[in-house]
Amino acid sequence: MAKILEGKVALVTGGSRGIGAATASQLAAQGATVVLSYASSEARAAEVVAAIEASGGKALAVKADQANASAVKTLIADVVRRFGKLDILVNNAAVFETGTVAETTDTSGFDRQLQINYEAVVTAIREASRVMESGGRIISISSALALRSTWPGLADYSATKRAIEGYSKGVARDLGPKGITVNVIGAGSTNTEMNPDDSPFAEAQAAATALGRFGRPEEIAAAVTFIASPAASFITGAVIPVDGGYSA
């Protein structure tokens, strides 16, 4: 049986763990050659690559600091140099910091979230759009918190995620004539190292969903893989909630 992404080249930023690692694995399982970037977790990235290769897939880990625009540009160029093209871009790398308006007298946390969660995504999309051909897929991982900040202290993070949703809708219009789709996955609370399902805040998060539980990285990755596939060729400019009914 043919794999739906056979012959495609994909880049997953922040692919060494969590949603990124699950996405890299699922794209590779469907035949894509996957490049996954990481900022510091070289050993973890190598483990993801090894697991993909052990399953018969093709993967490569590349170090790139998403807070550095030049590094993001170099990353895209390196993928094209190595593999001759880029078909699928998954903007997954992100950071999460909390703090109420009264608490955030130091804006360094917001600045870093803005750099990684928004500016790096914009840079990656711009660079990818210059090298992608018709049929290309640009997919960014947002958050259910972009829709509503359920608890205090989330304003800065929510703002960065909401920004990329608006940007992606505009870019979908720009790139539609080239046959490139641009979509966003609005991920709900997902059991990762960043937000484990046994944290002091987990019970409240699970209760806020219709399903009453956290998501698994593989469930978010499944949505990404579908949007990356030929079956999703008429979906663009969409923000697709994969949040267990948090937004219901």
Side-chain angles (χ1 to χ4, degrees):
M1 183 176 178
K3 296 180 178 180
I4 59 174
L5 299 177
E6 195 71 50
K8 302 295 185 181
V9 175
L11 169 61
V12 180
T13 67
S16 65
R17 58 185 179 178
I19 293 171
T23 298
S25 297
Q26 289 197 25
L27 294 177
Q30 289 299 330
T33 296
V34 179
V35 178
L36 56 101
S37 74
Y38 64 94
S40 59
S41 304
E42 182 176 4
R44 296 287 296 275
E47 289 175 4
V48 176
V49 169
I52 289 172
E53 292 179 339
S55 298
K58 295 169 285 187
L60 173 71
V62 177
K63 184 174 183 177
D65 182 1
Q66 295 296 116
N68 185 327
S70 294
V72 176
K73 292 179 181 179
T74 299
L75 174 63
I76 300 291
D78 195 32
V79 172
V80 176
R81 180 181 62 81
R82 289 171 180 265
F83 301 103
K85 62 176 182 172
L86 174 62
D87 301 296
I88 302 163
L89 169 65
V90 182
N91 291 303
N92 167 74
V95 292
F96 175 66
E97 295 188 32
T98 62
T100 65
V101 171
E103 294 169 340
T104 52
T105 54
D106 177 2
T107 62
S108 60
F110 176 64
D111 292 341
R112 180 164 173 76
Q113 290 184 95
L114 189 62
Q115 285 179 328
I116 296 174
N117 298 1
Y118 179 69
E119 292 176 358
V121 175
V122 170
T123 299
I125 289 174
R126 287 175 175 169
E127 295 301 308
S129 70
R130 296 185 177 105
V131 298
M132 276 187 175
E133 297 182 353
S134 180
R137 301 282 190 267
I138 296 174
I139 306 162
S140 298
I141 306 299
S142 182
S143 168
L145 296 176
L147 183 65
R148 58 188 178 102
S149 295
T150 317
W151 300 278
L154 301 175
D156 290 353
Y157 177 77
S158 295
T160 63
K161 290 300 188 178
R162 189 68 168 178
I164 203 58
E165 292 182 0
Y167 183 79
S168 295
K169 284 181 174 290
V171 173
R173 289 286 186 178
D174 293 345
L175 299 183
K178 292 184 66 176
I180 298 170
T181 66
V182 184
N183 292 290
V184 178
I185 301 297
S189 296
T190 307
N191 183 26
T192 63
E193 291 181 20
M194 183 184 292
N195 187 26
D197 63 2
D198 59 357
S199 78
F201 312 102
E203 185 176 352
Q205 291 181 64
T209 71
L211 293 179
R213 67 172 178 86
F214 269 51
R216 299 184 298 274
E218 294 77 14
E219 292 175 307
I220 310 302
V224 176
T225 302
F226 169 70
I227 293 300
S229 76
S233 58
F234 201 54
I235 301 174
T236 194
V239 179
I240 302 166
V242 186
D243 60 8
Y246 172 86
S247 56

